[in-house]
Amino acid sequence: MNFDFLKPVSNDVLAQNELIAEQALGKKIKIHSQENGIPDLEDVKIAIIGVQENRNDVNYSGNTINFDAIRKAVYTLFPGNWHTVIADIGDIVPGNTVEDTYFAIRTLITALLEKSIIPVILGGSQDLTYVNYRAYDNIMPMINIVNVDPNFDLGDANLPIKNNSYVGKIIIEEPYNLFNYATIGYQTYFNSQEEIDLIDKLYFDAYRLGEVSGNVNSVEPLMRDANIVSIDLKSVKASEVSENQKYSPNGLTGNEICAISRYAGISNKVTSFGIYEYCNTPKDTVTAMLIAQMIWYFVEGVNCRVKDDQFLNESNYQKYNLLIEDEELIFYKSLKTGRWWIEIPFSPNVNNKLKKHTLLPCEHNDYLRALKGNIPERWYKAYKKNSF
């Protein structure tokens, strides 16, 4: 690949990398250096990219972003029993305009997706998620986005894009490729009632912080159906990060955000993973190490992926048919992993793009509740979206 806009990993990071243990990740990752250029990506499965763009942050004050502390932390970690090849291809530096940076990001992510390489994006303001989404325009017909965030980031889509309004742009701008948007860990007092009502009206999924805390496995089906996962570091509680990164006394714990990252990795559908709103400060080792561990758990998840969503062979699954009121609910259970899905009836008179979304990941509890006559809420929302 020839991407002149990519800045190599700094010599400071490479110098530390010479001193770490031979078994550490830094000795096994393919690294874009000034001396050797961008590494061969032929056998690479995951590519780490830094994006130093934050000019569309509503609180932008001219500060620049540096990912050296994160890289140093990632490189010192020890890999699991992994078979995945990882590359660190450096940073995209801010262009003359934000649009220039957007073009570079979209070009790079599209190229990686075409080579079946999963980009792990470090940001930068979270409006970069919009560009990540647009990189799929010619790759996939419909996209599911999961956003781990205390805010919905809908904003006013009629105004220029910002990190608190990019989701509104995704929803209203052509081409319309968004099938589902889900927010994990939103905090009600940070969102207007109008935004909450709109999320409900559009049949999008929204999990309050209280629903996720202590029950983080409830988000696994959402991740299983996601293509893009975007994490806002403001979703992490203040006590878990360093001073400059603090946002709210309430939020996800370090354990929970790492578990969510692992669920994203395990998902067979997730093809890009981004961590945004990083505010680096000198000697900020805590936040950098948390992000490094999130990346570690995501890679661990990718290495644990199992193809269990193929239902052509009846010996691979069990099928359960339930009749609730006038609706027939059809559940599938993988005999390989024990994971569950529910079938969404296909409406022939609506957009054919939705044919790929006839199976919706769910929990065993959804089946148990259905036995008692309760239709799963996510099934209802997906069915309504599929009926537009």
Side-chain angles (χ1 to χ4, degrees):
M1 284 186 180
N2 181 25
F3 294 108
D4 295 334
F5 50 74
L6 280 172
K7 176 184 174 183
V9 174
S10 74
N11 289 330
D12 186 35
V13 174
L14 296 177
Q16 180 203 264
N17 205 39
E18 292 297 316
L19 305 176
I20 64 175
E22 287 298 320
Q23 300 90 345
L25 265 176
K27 297 293 189 181
K28 302 179 184 300
I29 294 176
K30 294 185 174 186
I31 299 174
H32 177 193
S33 66
Q34 186 73 49
E35 181 179 355
N36 299 317
I38 298 175
D40 177 23
L41 302 181
E42 194 57 40
D43 58 346
V44 169
K45 181 63 178 177
I46 295 172
I48 299 171
I49 313 157
V51 183
Q52 298 176 332
E53 181 61 77
N54 62 344
R55 285 174 287 183
N56 275 338
D57 185 337
V58 291
N59 297 314
Y60 177 66
S61 58
N63 55 307
T64 57
I65 310 170
N66 185 296
F67 301 110
D68 282 3
I70 297 175
R71 286 189 162 97
K72 288 179 179 180
V74 170
Y75 289 9
T76 59
L77 300 178
F78 292 95
N81 184 23
W82 296 348
H83 51 78
T84 298
V85 180
I86 308 168
D88 185 344
I89 57 178
D91 292 345
I92 295 176
V93 298
N96 292 328
T97 65
V98 176
E99 288 69 27
D100 291 336
T101 313
Y102 281 4
F103 177 79
I105 298 167
R106 180 172 176 173
T107 301
L108 178 59
I109 293 178
T110 299
L112 293 173
L113 294 174
E114 288 174 342
K115 294 177 71 70
S116 299
I117 297 173
I118 303 170
V120 172
I121 306 152
L122 302 174
S125 48
Q126 205 181 12
D127 54 283
L128 302 178
T129 303
Y130 170 80
V131 194
N132 186 6
Y133 163 73
R134 280 291 162 225
Y136 284 77
D137 281 353
N138 297 316
I139 302 290
M140 296 179 64
M142 295 299 275
I143 301 298
N144 290 339
I145 299 175
V146 170
N147 181 22
V148 184
D149 200 320
N151 305 283
F152 290 129
D153 294 333
L154 290 170
D156 187 343
N158 295 313
L159 298 176
I161 188 170
K162 294 291 182 181
N163 63 337
N164 65 348
S165 65
Y166 68 92
V167 175
K169 294 287 187 184
I170 289 174
I171 293 171
I172 71 164
E173 291 195 353
E174 296 183 13
Y176 304 122
N177 294 340
L178 181 68
F179 181 72
N180 192 46
Y181 169 73
T183 304
I184 293 173
Y186 83 90
Q187 298 177 40
T188 308
Y189 36 74
F190 289 141
N191 300 275
S192 69
Q193 190 58 49
E194 288 77 11
E195 287 184 306
I196 295 172
D197 291 343
L198 180 58
I199 289 290
D200 189 55
K201 182 179 178 181
L202 293 171
Y203 301 110
F204 289 156
D205 295 305
Y207 284 49
R208 291 175 56 247
L209 175 63
E211 297 177 84
V212 179
S213 295
N215 186 32
V216 72
N217 60 309
S218 65
V219 309
E220 186 274 331
L222 280 179
M223 289 298 184
R224 210 186 322 156
D225 208 34
N227 306 111
I228 297 171
V229 174
S230 176
I231 297 180
D232 186 333
L233 286 171
K234 294 196 293 291
S235 63
V236 179
K237 66 192 303 183
S239 60
E240 307 286 282
V241 291
S242 57
E243 186 62 37
N244 204 36
Q245 196 70 55
K246 295 182 186 300
Y247 180 69
S248 172
N250 290 307
L252 298 165
T253 67
N255 287 341
E256 288 167 344
I257 199 68
C258 285
I260 289 171
S261 300
R262 188 174 186 274
Y263 284 138
I266 288 175
S267 168
N268 291 319
K269 289 187 176 181
V270 170
T271 47
S272 60
F273 179 75
I275 303 170
Y276 301 99
E277 303 294 335
Y278 174 57
C279 303
N280 63 286
T281 52
K283 299 181 180 179
D284 174 12
T285 57
V286 174
T287 307
M289 181 54 76
L290 176 61
I291 295 171
Q293 292 176 8
M294 290 165 65
I295 294 171
W296 190 97
Y297 274 102
F298 177 77
V299 178
E300 169 80 1
V302 171
N303 276 270
C304 293
R305 288 185 176 184
V306 177
K307 272 290 180 186
D308 62 348
D309 51 0
Q310 304 295 323
F311 299 103
L312 299 177
N313 187 339
E314 292 186 0
S315 64
N316 292 334
Y317 65 90
Q318 289 177 323
K319 184 177 179 181
Y320 302 85
N321 295 61
L322 299 177
L323 189 63
I324 301 179
E325 299 172 359
D326 294 329
E327 298 290 351
E328 182 184 25
L329 301 187
I330 303 173
F331 287 88
Y332 296 84
K333 177 187 176 183
S334 167
L335 296 178
K336 187 182 294 185
T337 63
R339 297 198 291 191
W340 288 75
W341 285 259
I342 186 172
E343 188 172 294
I344 308 299
F346 174 67
S347 300
N349 297 323
V350 297
N351 195 332
N352 286 335
K353 287 182 176 182
L354 305 186
K355 283 183 179 177
K356 294 184 68 175
H357 293 265
T358 54
L359 283 179
L360 183 73
C362 65
E363 295 182 274
H364 181 216
N365 281 338
D366 290 315
Y367 172 70
L368 296 179
R369 285 190 287 266
L371 286 174
K372 298 178 181 179
N374 300 311
I375 294 178
E377 184 179 359
R378 289 191 66 232
W379 180 93
Y380 174 76
K381 289 180 176 180
Y383 176 72
K384 296 297 287 187
K385 281 200 293 283
N386 204 9
S387 301
F388 285 163

